[in-house]
């Protein structure tokens, strides 16, 4: 298992390096920070002094080498806007995104498991058709459109939920979670339904029923256990997409997470904060993928045997 972890970690390093290099180059395409942080009537000398103070007067390859040297020391630089260490700002914002993503995925998995299992018990029935229609619709609607619609209906027309921010306590969570949850819940419902239909028609389920096992025992202990691995894989991919998709939703709802921090950093040309936020997000995604692989191995003995053989 340790060999497997070491191998997965090593294979994750090249993509992580590509992300670090990509965001470094793309961030500088947003423009000159001096145009935002200095007055419009600033002299050329003042602009040169600003660029020299922050290293922007150096060739981009020289800036890149200095940046990579800093990253090896876990130093992402300081914010142009606040003067704080960029890594501190990103780490301070990340828990808000993590909390939102965890709660959303837990609710999405719970809803998808319940609805998918219920639909699989009577395939092609009325309930199955309704749940399939609703889940496919939920999986197809864009998050940003749902967010705007939710604000218009529940905040502006009905006035029962806040438009943005976190000052309203638990009510502040309702719209962001509802918007982020619909797509993964819809996709997972279809996956759970298909896996459960296949599992319920398998020989070991028929044997369990012939031995007099109750329907709940058959569904939970036999069918659902064997339907879990493919659902876990899809849930992991959806969780990764959820972290990426939170950028737009956090900006719409003013959620103080790392996604909103990225957007603010782009608009303010705060290169150091943007680079730190993207790097921390990428690392979290790689860690999540490794965790998914381990979880899949624990649920599926065939994968566990392959991992053990590879180790």
């Amino acid at each position: 298992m340790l060999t497997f972890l070491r191998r997965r970690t090593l294979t994750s390093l090249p993509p992580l390096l590509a992300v670090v290099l990509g965001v470094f180059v793309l961030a500088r395409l947003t423009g000159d920070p001096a145009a935002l942080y200095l007055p419009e009537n600033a002299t050329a000398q003042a602009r040169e002094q600003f660029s020299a103070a922050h290293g922007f007067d150096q060739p981009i390859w020289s800036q890149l080498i200095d940046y990579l040297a800093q990253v090896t020391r876990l130093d992402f630089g300081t914010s142009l806007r606040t003067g704080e260490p960029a890594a501190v700002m990103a780490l301070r914002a990340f828990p808000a995104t993590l909390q939102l993503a965890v709660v959303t995925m837990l609710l999405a998995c719970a809803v998808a498991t319940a609805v998918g299992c219920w639909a699989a018990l009577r395939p092609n029935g009325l309930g199955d058709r309704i749940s399939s229609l609703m889940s496919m619709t939920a999986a197809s609607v864009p998050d940003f459109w749902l967010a705007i619609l939710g604000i218009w209906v529940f905040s502006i027309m009905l006035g029962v939920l806040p438009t943005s921010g976190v000052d309203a306590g638990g009510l502040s969570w309702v719209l962001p979670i509802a918007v982020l949850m619909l797509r993964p819940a819809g996709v997972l419902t279809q996956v759970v339904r298909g896996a459960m239909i296949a599992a319920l028609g398998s020989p070991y389920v028929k044997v369990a029923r012939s031995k007099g096992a109750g329907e709940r025992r058959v569904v939970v202990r036999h069918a659902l256990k064997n339907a879990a691995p493919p659902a876990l894989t899809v849930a992991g991919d959806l969780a990764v997409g959820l972290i990426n998709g939170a950028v737009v939703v956090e900006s719409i709802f003013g959620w103080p997470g790392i996604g909103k921090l990225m957007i603010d950093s782009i608009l303010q040309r705060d290169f150091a904060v943007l680079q730190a936020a993207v790097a921390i997000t990428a690392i979290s995604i790689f860690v999540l993928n490794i965790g998914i692989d381990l979880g899949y191995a624990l649920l599926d003995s065939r994968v566990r045997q392959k991992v053990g053989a590879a180790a």
Side-chain angles (χ1 to χ4, degrees):
M1 189 65 72
L2 291 177
T3 304
F4 171 76
L5 287 175
R6 184 165 56 251
R7 185 177 301 163
R8 286 290 284 112
T9 302
L10 291 176
T11 56
S12 298
L13 289 180
L16 181 60
L17 180 61
V19 170
V20 171
L21 295 176
V23 71
F24 177 87
V25 174
L26 293 176
R28 278 144 183 81
L29 298 179
T30 59
D32 184 9
L36 287 180
Y37 292 94
L38 293 179
E40 293 183 2
N41 58 354
T43 63
Q45 182 180 4
R47 294 177 180 274
E48 291 176 359
Q49 290 176 347
F50 178 88
S51 297
H54 297 91
F56 299 140
D57 60 331
Q58 301 295 321
I60 189 167
W61 60 266
S62 179
Q63 296 182 43
L64 177 59
I65 292 175
D66 292 340
Y67 172 64
L68 292 177
Q70 288 180 326
V71 170
T72 58
R73 302 191 301 269
L74 300 180
D75 179 10
F76 289 90
T78 57
S79 169
L80 292 175
R81 180 165 45 98
T82 66
E84 290 184 84
V88 172
M89 295 180 64
L91 290 173
R92 186 167 60 232
F94 186 71
T97 298
L98 186 62
Q99 291 171 3
L100 187 63
V102 169
V103 173
T104 299
M105 280 307 301
L106 288 177
L107 290 175
C109 290
V111 171
T113 301
V115 176
C117 290
W118 175 70
L121 292 175
R122 296 174 180 80
N124 298 321
L126 179 61
D128 181 27
R129 294 177 185 275
I130 294 175
S131 65
S132 295
L133 176 62
M134 294 179 65
S135 61
M136 286 188 289
T137 301
S140 305
V141 180
D143 292 341
F144 70 89
W145 186 84
L146 281 175
I148 296 172
L149 181 64
I151 292 174
W152 179 56
V153 174
F154 296 101
S155 301
I156 297 176
M157 292 184 63
L158 301 179
V160 295
L161 294 174
T163 56
S164 61
V166 294
D167 297 333
L171 292 177
S172 302
W173 291 71
V174 175
L175 279 178
I177 289 177
V179 169
L180 286 173
M181 187 185 76
L182 282 179
R183 183 176 180 277
V187 174
L188 275 176
T189 296
Q190 290 296 309
V191 174
V192 172
R193 173 191 174 275
M196 284 295 294
I197 289 176
L200 289 171
S202 60
Y204 58 83
V205 169
K206 295 178 180 179
V207 170
R209 282 174 170 161
S210 66
K211 292 182 177 181
E215 193 65 17
R216 173 183 285 185
R217 183 182 179 87
V218 168
V219 171
V220 176
R221 291 203 56 181
H222 298 282
L224 186 58
K225 180 180 178 181
N226 288 277
L232 176 64
T233 302
V234 176
D237 294 337
L238 291 171
V240 171
L242 194 65
I243 295 176
N244 294 327
V247 173
V248 176
V249 174
E250 286 181 2
S251 299
I252 294 175
F253 290 111
W255 191 264
I258 203 165
K260 184 176 183 297
L261 182 65
M262 288 183 193
I263 298 297
D264 292 343
S265 300
I266 293 172
L267 296 176
Q268 296 159 356
R269 299 176 190 170
D270 201 345
F271 298 158
V273 177
L274 175 61
Q275 290 162 181
V278 172
I280 290 173
T281 302
I283 292 172
S284 67
I285 289 174
F286 289 135
V287 171
L288 177 62
N289 284 330
I290 293 174
I292 293 168
D293 291 341
L294 291 176
Y296 198 94
L298 292 175
L299 288 173
D300 194 326
S301 59
R302 295 168 297 180
V303 177
R304 189 163 58 247
Q305 291 172 359
K306 290 181 180 180
V307 171

